[in-house]
Amino acid sequence: MKELIIGYFILINLTLLLVMKLDKNRAQHNRYRISEKTLWILALAGGAIGGTAGMKLFRHKTKHKAFVAGFPLLAIVDVIIAAILLSTIQS
């Protein structure tokens, strides 16, 4: 069960990281963008660490205060939730 939780958090964070890269690329080429709602849903689903990393690595959404403050705060919440889940599960 622990492996499943760890795998989920890795997958959701990699997903949002890659979605941030894709959206940045689309923005640079004036193409259809990924909605901010989608980015927030992925962050709320546990991908805020990947979203925060994507903001930093790709310099994306860094002018949006809601993302600059919200993603790191959600990342902290994600770490706390993961720690609680992992600590309550018996091996």
Side-chain angles (χ1 to χ4, degrees):
M1 186 64 147
K2 285 185 179 187
E3 294 83 8
L4 186 63
I5 292 170
I6 292 168
Y8 172 79
F9 275 101
I10 290 171
L11 183 63
I12 194 69
N13 281 287
L14 284 175
T15 299
L16 186 50
L17 177 71
L18 294 173
V19 167
M20 292 290 282
K21 173 64 174 163
L22 177 62
D23 192 49
K24 175 67 174 192
N25 185 274
R26 288 180 176 186
Q28 291 172 327
H29 293 95
N30 278 343
R31 294 176 50 211
Y32 180 76
R33 303 283 302 281
I34 296 164
S35 73
E36 290 185 356
K37 180 180 177 180
T38 299
L39 299 176
W40 281 110
I41 288 170
L42 290 169
L44 287 167
I49 295 168
T52 302
M55 270 194 321
K56 304 283 185 185
L57 287 171
F58 311 125
R59 296 184 193 162
H60 190 49
K61 298 290 185 190
T62 56
K63 293 181 182 178
H64 297 259
K65 291 182 184 189
F67 284 93
V68 172
F71 274 16
L73 288 174
L74 276 175
I76 293 167
V77 171
D78 288 348
V79 169
I80 292 169
I81 289 170
I84 290 169
L85 286 173
L86 293 171
S87 69
T88 59
I89 295 172
Q90 301 296 322
S91 339

